[in-house]
Amino acid sequence: MSLKISSAIEILKKHDLLVSSSVSDENLEVTNISYNSKADQTNGIFFCKGNKFKAEYLDQAIKNGAKIYVSEKEYSKDIDCLIVKDASKALALLSAKYYGNPENDLFIVAFTGTKGKTTTSYFLYDILKNAYPKQVGLFSTVDRIVGPDPKDEFKSDLTTPESLELFRDMRRCVDNGLKYLVMEVSSQAYKKNRVYGLKFDIGGFLNITPDHIGPNEHPTYEDYLNCKKQLMINSKINIINRQTNDYDTVYAAAKETSTDKDIYRFAQNEVGDTDFSIRNKESNLNDSVFTFTAESDKAEDLQEHSEYTYKLGLVGDFNELNAGAAIIAAKKIGVKNEVIADSLKSAFVPGRMEHINTQSHGTIFVDYAHNYASMNALLSFIKREYPSSKIKVVVGSPGDKGVSRREGFAKVLTELADFAILTTDDPGFEDPAAICKQIDDQIDHTKVQVKTVLDREKAIREMIESSSDDDIVVLAAKGNDAYQKTKGVDVPYPSDPVVAKKILKDIEG
């Protein structure tokens, strides 16, 4: 991989990002790219980015071999520099070029939404890998899959990685023979320009509710919505949940760059002004059966038949909407319906509605539900299906971000839970006891019984041991996450399903 400085200058000028350049040799071809001053910078281009950037980071990068730096202000005259209006945008554009623009060799489908991004991405990934074996990659909150072999699969640390890592991993996908990429795009990806300049073949907008509002994320809901809708503006084909909040704003964003023929809407139990309707036929704690009906001429052209019935191997009628978005994307790519149907039957998403049966301690669900919208959908479904069961929830909220989730958890526990244990979940640099107290202070204790147990494994054990056969135990928000993010360190944690199964083995044999 390499980048010629003359090409970098040309790209920055084209995007009106270059303020000035101090370059002794425009023919210099750098063979390293980085924004981490501790990394090897030999013959490299180094990016000074982030609100907490310090001049000494650049000094270290120079010592490690950097030949040129990119920054929003001048720091050092010891090496060449490119001064730009926005370093994060420059990083995205020049990373793409450095890695040979791998995005051009992939058919990329991206999903955004407050809830359901991971589930929908896995649904489509499972469909495509069955249709096109060894040709599909996945960038999700849970996993990064850049090739067909086990060595090409690893855990994600961000929903949407920084642009440099994003294009690096796209290059790995292409080099490994992949043709399709399914990815989640978070609001932060647009807020922090991680996907700046990237155009998607298909973009799916699942839903939006207030979340990620706080000092380290989005200052307002309006900013959150503005970032989310950028996916529609930057996608050739758009798939939109007709029942999302702020639908008119989302649809208008899609219309900015796409015509009506390239915009598909879907909805649950709704016939008017949508292209596809989803109607539940059967839901239980094992699967969901639903019909998928074409409601417009272009939908019928795409589907070939007016209606299909699908069986979804992931419980919860709310997952039918996620499946709907995946089905439309798969059909646009050209996947046969038999492949779609077979794939959905066996669909599995790590940390999503994992179902653990017990001998005498109720039914346990592990789910990544991590905000009001997703928790409300999950608990509402359980309450509808099992109205006589007690709903018991173990949940915590992360530190340093998503502050609005704490009020949301308090609200949904008050509305739908019978008993809750508040516990630790990625506290970061905050005190987990203080986070739990913020949730607890907003709960109506006349409607739900609450206690706090900060040790997550102990909290899960206490909830399981105190539950009887008719109870439903929900281990929420953490899913299959194998770490607790604490004071800047990823502290190993077995993951909720592993903890639950070990406890059951101890107490039930």
Side-chain angles (χ1 to χ4, degrees):
M1 303 294 109
S2 64
L3 174 66
K4 200 169 186 177
I5 297 306
S6 58
S7 295
I9 291 171
E10 185 181 333
I11 291 167
L12 295 173
K13 283 181 178 177
K14 180 183 176 182
H15 288 266
D16 192 29
L17 286 173
L18 188 66
V19 175
S20 66
S21 62
S22 176
V23 177
S24 54
D25 180 11
E26 287 195 5
N27 289 319
L28 172 68
E29 196 155 341
V30 294
T31 52
N32 215 329
I33 186 168
S34 180
Y35 58 87
N36 178 0
S37 62
K38 296 177 182 178
D40 177 26
Q41 311 287 333
T42 303
N43 192 40
I45 182 169
F46 177 74
F47 289 79
C48 309
K49 64 177 283 289
N51 295 330
K52 297 179 180 178
F53 186 82
K54 298 176 183 178
E56 48 262 41
Y57 298 160
L58 177 57
D59 294 337
Q60 185 174 17
I62 294 170
K63 287 177 184 176
N64 287 342
K67 294 290 186 184
I68 184 169
Y69 70 90
V70 179
S71 175
E72 291 169 20
K73 70 176 186 177
E74 195 167 334
Y75 282 104
S76 170
K77 298 187 185 298
D78 294 340
I79 62 170
D80 292 352
C81 66
L82 299 174
I83 305 304
V84 296
K85 294 177 182 177
D86 190 308
S88 60
K89 289 180 179 179
L91 178 65
L93 294 169
L94 299 187
S95 293
K97 181 67 174 176
Y98 176 84
Y99 285 107
N101 294 107
E103 70 278 12
N104 296 335
D105 296 317
L106 293 165
F107 189 101
I108 307 176
V109 184
F111 294 105
T112 198
T114 302
K115 59 175 178 154
K117 293 189 297 295
T118 302
T119 301
T120 307
S121 295
Y122 265 89
F123 284 166
L124 183 59
Y125 172 72
D126 282 348
I127 293 168
L128 293 182
K129 76 175 182 179
N130 287 331
Y132 311 109
K134 299 186 176 183
Q135 295 185 56
V136 190
L138 175 69
F139 295 175
S140 83
T141 301
V142 181
D143 291 315
R144 201 93 48 83
I145 299 171
V146 299
D149 299 326
K151 66 180 175 59
D152 300 317
E153 183 173 338
F154 48 96
K155 292 298 176 187
S156 297
D157 54 356
L158 288 170
T159 298
T160 312
E162 182 56 80
S163 58
L164 191 155
E165 284 79 20
L166 181 70
F167 289 106
R168 179 201 65 196
D169 288 347
M170 284 185 185
R171 169 47 56 194
R172 292 169 70 181
C173 287
V174 173
D175 290 348
N176 284 328
L178 305 190
K179 305 292 185 188
Y180 303 91
L181 173 63
V182 182
M183 63 181 287
E184 299 178 44
V185 175
S186 65
S187 58
Q188 287 292 302
Y190 276 107
K191 181 76 174 171
K192 296 186 176 180
N193 296 310
R194 294 174 191 155
V195 291
Y196 181 75
L198 192 55
K199 303 297 179 188
F200 299 95
D201 293 285
I202 299 176
F205 193 102
L206 304 175
N207 48 68
I208 185 167
T209 56
D211 192 28
H212 298 286
I213 315 298
N216 298 322
E217 297 183 282
H218 297 280
T220 62
Y221 174 75
E222 288 70 27
D223 183 69
Y224 179 50
L225 173 60
N226 181 60
C227 289
K228 283 282 188 198
K229 75 178 187 181
Q230 297 306 312
L231 180 61
M232 298 291 91
I233 296 168
N234 290 286
S235 296
K236 298 172 188 174
I237 295 168
N238 295 272
I239 298 169
I240 303 173
N241 174 4
R242 180 64 183 85
Q243 292 159 310
T244 182
N245 292 335
D246 295 287
Y247 165 77
D248 290 342
T249 299
V250 176
Y251 184 70
K255 290 277 286 181
E256 285 186 36
T257 52
S258 298
T259 60
D260 282 331
K261 71 179 178 64
D262 290 324
I263 302 173
Y264 293 85
R265 290 91 45 84
F266 64 100
Q268 242 171 349
N269 305 320
E270 183 179 315
V271 177
D273 193 26
T274 194
D275 298 299
F276 290 97
S277 289
I278 297 165
R279 293 179 181 84
N280 175 260
K281 291 181 73 175
E282 179 188 332
S283 279
N284 54 49
L285 289 184
N286 294 305
D287 51 47
S288 295
V289 179
F290 64 95
T291 57
F292 196 65
T293 308
E295 303 287 358
S296 68
D297 290 341
K298 69 180 176 186
E300 200 151 318
D301 289 343
L302 182 64
Q303 177 138 301
E304 297 177 357
H305 295 275
S306 60
E307 183 174 292
Y308 280 112
T309 299
Y310 295 98
K311 185 174 184 178
L312 184 61
L314 195 67
V315 301
D317 52 4
F318 52 90
N319 279 316
E320 294 168 6
L321 274 169
N322 299 327
I327 291 167
I328 297 170
K331 287 180 182 294
K332 283 301 294 182
I333 291 170
V335 181
K336 297 296 183 185
N337 193 67
E338 295 76 24
V339 176
I340 297 173
D342 287 345
S343 301
L344 291 178
K345 281 179 194 173
S346 58
F348 171 74
V349 185
R352 299 306 195 274
M353 287 302 279
E354 288 195 41
H355 182 193
I356 302 171
N357 287 317
T358 75
Q359 293 174 24
S360 57
H361 292 82
T363 300
I364 300 171
F365 284 103
V366 179
D367 193 85
Y368 191 65
H370 61 286
N371 52 41
Y372 176 81
S374 53
M375 184 85 86
N376 181 62
L378 170 62
L379 299 188
S380 294
F381 165 73
I382 292 171
K383 206 167 191 71
R384 282 196 307 274
E385 297 301 318
Y386 295 87
S388 60
S389 292
K390 297 275 189 197
I391 297 177
K392 299 182 167 186
V393 182
V394 177
V395 69
S397 193
D400 309 325
K401 65 176 186 177
V403 176
S404 58
R405 293 179 191 174
R406 300 168 196 180
E407 181 181 356
F409 282 145
K411 185 172 186 284
V412 75
L413 292 173
T414 296
E415 292 169 347
L416 295 167
D418 295 290
F419 183 66
I421 296 181
L422 304 178
T423 190
T424 300
D425 185 348
D426 292 340
F429 289 91
E430 289 192 61
D431 177 4
I435 295 173
C436 290
K437 187 175 187 304
Q438 287 176 31
I439 301 171
D440 194 34
D441 285 349
Q442 299 178 80
I443 293 175
D444 184 343
H445 291 83
T446 65
K447 295 182 177 178
V448 55
Q449 193 177 344
V450 185
K451 71 182 298 185
T452 295
V453 178
L454 293 180
D455 185 309
R456 192 175 183 95
E457 292 187 51
K458 288 181 180 177
I460 293 172
R461 177 176 288 275
E462 183 168 333
M463 186 64 90
I464 292 174
E465 287 181 342
S466 65
S467 296
S468 57
D469 208 28
D470 291 333
D471 294 338
I472 306 288
V473 175
V474 177
L475 311 181
K478 200 151 187 65
N480 264 24
D481 187 3
Y483 296 94
Q484 286 278 19
K485 296 182 184 298
T486 306
K487 296 182 179 176
V489 177
D490 286 348
V491 180
Y493 169 73
S495 83
D496 283 358
V498 170
V499 169
K501 288 170 185 174
K502 181 180 182 301
I503 291 166
L504 287 169
K505 189 176 181 181
D506 290 344
I507 62 178
E508 292 187 343

